[in-house]
Amino acid sequence: MNTTTPLITALPEPSRHKTAARKGGSVYTAILTACFTLLLFSGLYLEFFAAHHWNAGKLVLAGHLLGGAFFTMALTPWLVSHVRSGPIRSHRRLFTLLGWLLLGQYLTVIATGLLMALPPALYLLGHIWFWRFETTFLLTFLHLWLSIAAALGLLVHLTLRHWQRSASLSDGHRPEDSL
C-alpha cells in the first residue's frame, strides 16, 4: 500500500542505479557554506545590533552587500550544476524534496537581497529612487526570516544521506521509498 503524499510522488523518481557514497562535500561547497554563515551573522547583526553603533553597522553593511554579491555570483553556477545532477543522483525522495525547498528559499533570499540593494545602487549611479516603506518592510522581513529558515534547512539537508546503502540496492528492496 502506497501511503506517500501527492507532493512527494510528483517528484522525479529516485535513481535505481548504484553510485558511490561520498562523505562530505567539496572545497567549493565549504566556501559557499562559510560565506552563507558569515552573511547570516552579519545580517543578524544589522537587524538587531547595528542601530546601537551605526559606525560599525556601516562597515558591516558594506561587507554584507559585497559578500552577498560574491555569494550570488559563486552560488549561481554551482546551483545550475547541482540542479542538473542532484535529482539524478538522489536516492531518497525526502532528501530531494528538502533540496527543492532549500533551493526556493535561497532564490527568494537572493532575490529579496538584490531588490533591497537596488535603491542604493541606483543612488550611486545618480538616480534617487526608493521602495515604499511597506515594500521595504516586506523585503526585509522575507530576507531575514527566509535566511534563518534556509540555514536550518541547510543543516538538515547536510545531515541527511542522499544515497542508500549498496546492500539495499543489490536485493532490489528500497526501504526509503516511503521517505
Side-chain angles (χ1 to χ4, degrees):
M1 180 175 170
N2 189 357
T3 61
T4 58
T5 62
L7 178 61
I8 292 177
T9 57
L11 293 172
E13 185 66 26
S15 173
R16 293 185 189 271
H17 64 279
K18 294 181 186 180
T19 55
R22 251 183 53 195
K23 295 271 183 181
S26 67
V27 172
Y28 195 75
T29 57
I31 291 170
L32 286 173
T33 302
C35 187
F36 178 73
T37 303
L38 290 172
L39 286 168
L40 180 66
F41 283 112
S42 65
L44 290 172
Y45 175 84
L46 289 169
E47 181 66 24
F48 297 112
F49 302 112
H52 303 295
H53 192 264
W54 183 236
N55 288 331
K58 287 190 274 188
L59 291 174
V60 173
L61 178 60
H64 188 80
L65 289 170
L66 291 173
F70 170 78
F71 180 74
T72 300
M73 289 186 293
L75 184 68
T76 302
W78 183 86
L79 275 179
V80 169
S81 68
H82 206 66
V83 165
R84 285 183 183 158
S85 66
I88 295 167
R89 291 187 324 208
S90 178
H91 296 175
R92 296 177 179 266
R93 286 192 173 128
L94 180 62
F95 184 86
T96 305
L97 175 65
L98 182 61
W100 285 112
L101 290 174
L102 193 57
L103 174 68
Q105 288 175 329
Y106 271 115
L107 292 177
T108 306
V109 168
I110 289 170
T112 56
L114 290 172
L115 289 172
M116 286 190 295
L118 184 62
L122 289 174
Y123 176 77
L124 292 174
L125 295 173
H127 302 284
I128 297 176
W129 176 81
F130 295 100
W131 295 107
R132 293 177 42 163
F133 287 117
E134 298 83 6
T135 305
T136 302
F137 176 77
L138 178 63
L139 290 172
T140 304
F141 179 83
L142 289 173
H143 191 72
L144 173 69
W145 292 105
L146 284 176
S147 295
I148 293 170
L152 295 173
L154 180 62
L155 286 174
V156 172
H157 184 74
L158 293 175
T159 60
L160 291 176
R161 273 194 351 246
H162 68 282
W163 43 268
Q164 57 189 343
R165 295 189 200 314
S166 58
S168 63
L169 279 175
S170 61
D171 66 2
H173 178 65
R174 292 180 32 206
E176 68 285 332
D177 273 345
S178 61
L179 289 178

